Amino acid sequence: MAHEVAPSTERVSILDRLNYVVENSVVGKYFCIKERKTTFTTELRAGTVTFLTMAYILAVNGSILADTGGPCTVDDCSVNKGQPFCMFGSGGKFDAGYVACVAKAKRSMVTATAVASFVACVLMGVVGNLPFGLAPGMGINAYFTYTVVGFFGSNGMISYRDALAAAFIEGWIFLAISITGLRTKITTIVPKCVMLATSGGIGLFLAFIGLQTANGIGLISFESATLVTLGGCRVQDRAPMYTIADTSKVCSLEKDGTLAPANLGPASPNYACINNMRMRSASMWLGIMGGVLMVLLMARGFRGAIVIAILFVTFISWIPGHEATFLGAESQIPGGADRRQYFKKVVQRPDTSFTDLEMDFKAFGTTELWTALITFLYLDLLDCTGTFFSMANYINKRVPGFIHPITKDFPRMTFAFCVDACSIWIGALLGIAPLTVYIESATGIREGGRTGITAIMIGFYFFISMFFTPIISSIPPYATGPALILVGALMMENILDIDWKDYQQAIPAFLTIAVIPLTYSIAYGIIAGICSYLLLYLLLLAYDLLTAPIYRKSFKEILLDAKPEAFKSYDVLEAEELARNKARVEALERELELTNTTILHATSSIHDKGVAKVAAAAASAAGTEQVRSAETKPNEAAV
């Protein structure tokens, strides 16, 4: 009689069933959920985490780009209409009519940021199938505003409309570079040690951002002597920083001969603590608490640890009446009262009509426009490509084989590059600075994001934020700052693959890691790494050629050994990679053998000591017995 198999008593949750259905569906196979060792719900959670760490861009990007004045001109001034510099008003106050126009432009730019990010993220998910979030770049938007256009369009290279035209054309050039494979070729030309070091540099960059006040917990602040120092002081103990190009224009006289208020321009978000009352900011300590909670939850394997910690800090910061609040006059971050009023709106109708399609192509005959265009191009080329490879390498740590060890490419790389390029001119059409892949994507990857579903989820949140911008933009920076610090720390694992014993790799790698956070630019770090690598390569090659007769080596042998990887055939690269892996395995085996020998020696020593101790104890016992026997015999004789 056949035995019936007892039904399984293990209960399957609804989420597990959902994951199973999606994994085996057409959607799951398209996004390679099973191959990348993830689940549908994990991807959704990763998208949520990434968006929460990127959400600050909605408010920050609009604030930065609004300093250009947008499409506002001198014709929008209420006083001295049409006169140059009428927007700066008099008595230290900006012209009311121009300020009203800028406020309208800012609202349009905030919505445009959400729209452009939504489109770019969805395209990255569907076409590129990568868990990367895209939004206007924080470095390039500042360059766009304060260098290319200038504050309220003054002292800049070109106008706001001209800058948008330059960004639009740059996006199409970038797309052509991506389609032709030139951008892919760059990943093979750049030395491997520099690309690996870029991941570590971005990790430090993320941590540096998370430690500042503008986008982090505010633990570090400005110091005139050492540049940075320990911060965390309260608002009343801070001195704001100003950038003054011409000090002769700071002080001026009114028409009646009295001294006019100082013309300092906009204050920097950075500050200096004017006394020793540091580490007193309530918002900083709330952010630190969120970071501790995040680490504790992750250490105990809680899913969604980053989301839980961010929401914990956010909900507390929305409670009014205490110094750690983000909304209200008590906030340690200036503008709390305005944020509270904006927060109360909850919902707003998305409208980008004030800034979209504002490009002007009449200035393409000027040197200034082409200078801005070329600068945009090389910043995007190095910055975006470095970020792409770093994020892909971060995935490769969790899904081995994601990056090809020889060609250094990853699935759908060219498609992803094309999406990244298209996002640039999409932003220009909407009136904002170029978009780029965000290094905050590493938070979602750390949470388990592996496919384009994560990017689509990020895009979904940006779509929702078009209508709920007052809520989304009220997430405080000290809620997301700890996530940036934590992910930055975890990204340092990428530098373990660098051969630190080889100075030709170690020095360029270190310069790349150091320059990225200290210059606030991924592009500058990559340039420093490449230049230092080339310098060492050429100097060492010259030395080897000059000393060839001494070491009895032929010039052909030296040149073959020094041949760059970009010019080697696939077979040669494969052989070298196999040789490196074999050498790495042999080194590990030698280390393991040495460790085993040490353990055996230690065990043998312990055993010998134990045997000696037992022998000594036995000898001592035997001696004691002999003494007792000797004492007993006289007694027996006496009896």
Side-chain angles (χ1 to χ4, degrees):
M1 184 176 179
H3 295 283
E4 294 184 0
V5 179
S8 175
T9 58
E10 183 180 355
R11 298 183 61 183
V12 180
S13 67
I14 297 176
L15 295 181
D16 290 334
R17 292 177 182 174
L18 177 63
N19 288 330
Y20 178 79
V21 171
V22 174
E23 180 182 309
N24 293 279
S25 67
V26 176
V27 174
K29 292 177 181 178
Y30 176 81
F31 287 105
C32 306
I33 291 178
K34 190 174 183 179
E35 291 82 351
R36 298 189 186 179
K37 302 175 182 178
T38 183
T39 62
F40 180 67
T41 54
T42 300
E43 295 292 307
L44 300 183
R45 186 174 69 246
T48 303
V49 171
T50 306
F51 174 77
L52 290 174
T53 57
M54 291 176 60
Y56 69 87
I57 194 62
L58 291 170
V60 174
N61 188 58
S63 298
I64 292 176
L65 293 179
D67 284 345
T68 63
C72 301
T73 64
V74 292
D75 294 330
D76 294 299
C77 293
S78 56
V79 179
N80 297 323
K81 185 176 181 179
Q83 297 297 319
F85 305 106
C86 64
M87 68 284 289
F88 294 105
S90 60
K93 295 183 178 180
F94 297 112
D95 183 87
Y98 191 85
V99 168
C101 180
V102 170
K104 188 176 180 180
K106 181 179 178 180
R107 289 193 293 269
S108 179
M109 289 171 175
V110 170
T111 306
T113 300
V115 174
S117 301
F118 158 67
V119 175
C121 289
V122 171
L123 286 176
M124 180 59 71
V126 175
V127 179
N129 193 23
L130 292 172
F132 301 161
L134 291 90
M138 279 298 294
I140 202 166
N141 62 3
Y143 175 78
F144 181 96
T145 299
Y146 301 112
T147 302
V148 177
V149 181
F151 183 69
F152 282 178
S154 64
N155 300 321
M157 298 164 58
I158 52 180
S159 69
Y160 169 75
R161 290 181 171 88
D162 295 337
L164 290 178
F168 181 79
I169 298 301
E170 181 257 334
W172 283 104
I173 296 174
F174 207 28
L175 179 61
I177 292 173
S178 301
I179 292 175
T180 56
L182 181 59
R183 188 176 177 188
T184 304
K185 190 66 177 177
I186 291 175
T187 62
T188 61
I189 294 175
V190 176
K192 185 178 180 180
C193 62
V194 174
M195 298 305 287
L196 289 172
T198 302
S199 300
I202 289 176
L204 288 179
F205 190 17
L206 279 173
F208 189 47
I209 293 172
L211 289 169
Q212 297 179 58
T213 302
N215 301 307
I217 62 177
L219 184 64
I220 60 176
S221 64
F222 174 79
E223 218 290 320
S224 58
T226 60
L227 194 61
V228 292
T229 186
L230 188 67
C233 50
R234 302 171 69 187
V235 174
Q236 55 267 35
D237 297 323
R238 300 176 184 176
M241 299 292 104
Y242 295 89
T243 301
I244 303 171
D246 188 358
T247 56
S248 63
K249 296 182 180 179
V250 174
C251 299
S252 60
L253 296 176
E254 298 283 8
K255 294 181 179 180
D256 58 359
T258 59
L259 185 66
N263 181 24
L264 298 175
S268 167
N270 297 313
Y271 62 88
C273 296
I274 56 178
N275 51 39
N276 292 324
M277 301 296 288
R278 307 179 190 275
M279 301 287 288
R280 299 294 195 277
S281 172
S283 59
M284 181 202 69
W285 284 109
L286 179 57
I288 291 175
M289 286 176 58
V292 172
L293 175 62
M294 198 177 295
V295 174
L296 292 177
L297 292 176
M298 289 181 65
R300 287 295 174 260
F302 279 83
R303 294 183 177 181
I306 297 178
V307 177
I308 294 172
I310 290 175
L311 294 179
F312 168 76
V313 175
T314 299
F315 291 150
I316 293 180
S317 70
W318 285 352
I319 301 174
H322 59 90
E323 288 191 354
T325 185
F326 189 60
L327 309 173
E330 305 89 353
S331 175
Q332 295 293 295
I333 298 179
D338 294 336
R339 286 194 298 271
R340 186 174 182 180
Q341 293 300 320
Y342 187 51
F343 178 79
K344 290 180 179 179
K345 294 182 179 180
V346 182
V347 180
Q348 70 173 15
R349 183 177 64 87
D351 183 13
T352 63
S353 60
F354 195 70
T355 56
D356 57 16
L357 302 177
E358 287 289 332
M359 297 172 292
D360 188 352
F361 296 91
K362 296 178 181 178
F364 265 88
T366 63
T367 306
E368 291 79 7
L369 187 141
W370 283 102
T371 301
L373 190 152
I374 293 172
T375 305
F376 284 151
L377 184 61
Y378 98 80
L379 284 175
D380 280 329
L381 185 63
L382 295 178
D383 199 322
C384 298
T385 305
T387 304
F388 257 106
F389 187 84
S390 298
M391 297 301 106
N393 191 62
Y394 200 41
I395 297 175
N396 192 62
K397 288 288 184 180
R398 286 146 182 80
V399 186
F402 184 77
I403 295 180
H404 196 285
I406 299 172
T407 60
K408 301 178 185 176
D409 57 3
F410 48 87
R412 300 195 195 179
M413 183 169 67
T414 301
F415 289 108
F417 283 164
C418 292
V419 170
D420 181 42
C422 291
S423 67
I424 296 174
W425 55 259
I426 290 173
L429 288 173
L430 293 169
I432 57 177
L435 280 73
T436 183
V437 174
Y438 256 52
I439 54 179
E440 282 85 352
S441 302
T443 58
I445 297 172
R446 176 62 184 82
E447 196 66 21
R450 305 284 185 271
T451 72
I453 297 176
T454 296
I456 294 173
M457 192 64 181
I458 299 170
F460 170 75
Y461 282 117
F462 273 117
F463 175 78
I464 296 297
S465 66
M466 296 181 201
F467 306 92
F468 294 94
T469 303
I471 299 294
I472 302 299
S473 61
S474 296
I475 298 174
Y478 46 89
T480 58
L484 300 181
I485 298 170
L486 176 62
V487 173
L490 296 175
M491 286 189 70
M492 296 305 293
E493 69 176 336
N494 293 311
I495 66 176
L496 295 175
D497 295 330
I498 299 172
D499 187 1
W500 292 101
K501 295 179 181 179
D502 184 354
Y503 295 120
Q504 190 177 354
Q505 297 187 43
I507 301 303
F510 172 76
L511 289 175
T512 304
I513 293 171
V515 171
I516 286 176
L518 295 181
T519 61
Y520 225 79
S521 170
I522 299 171
Y524 292 154
I526 295 175
I527 291 173
I530 293 174
C531 290
S532 59
Y533 184 90
L534 288 175
L535 179 62
L536 289 174
Y537 174 81
L538 294 174
L539 291 175
L540 290 172
L541 179 60
Y543 173 82
D544 291 338
L545 292 174
L546 291 172
T547 58
I550 300 175
Y551 295 101
R552 296 180 179 179
K553 288 185 177 181
S554 65
F555 287 169
K556 182 179 180 180
E557 183 182 357
I558 293 173
L559 292 174
L560 284 175
D561 291 339
K563 190 175 182 180
E565 289 187 355
F567 302 103
K568 294 179 180 179
S569 65
Y570 182 88
D571 294 335
V572 173
L573 291 173
E574 186 178 24
E576 290 181 352
E577 184 66 22
L578 290 173
R580 279 193 293 266
N581 290 335
K582 183 179 179 181
R584 192 179 296 115
V585 170
E586 290 176 351
L588 291 173
E589 288 177 349
R590 288 194 299 270
E591 185 176 350
L592 181 61
E593 184 178 353
L594 179 62
T595 303
N596 290 335
T597 303
T598 305
I599 293 173
L600 288 173
H601 178 72
T603 305
S604 177
S605 298
I606 295 172
H607 177 71
D608 293 342
K609 289 180 180 178
V611 171
K613 187 179 290 186
V614 170
S620 176
T624 304
E625 187 64 28
Q626 290 177 0
V627 171
R628 288 180 180 174
S629 220
E631 290 177 351
T632 304
K633 287 180 180 180
N635 293 334
E636 290 177 352
V639 174

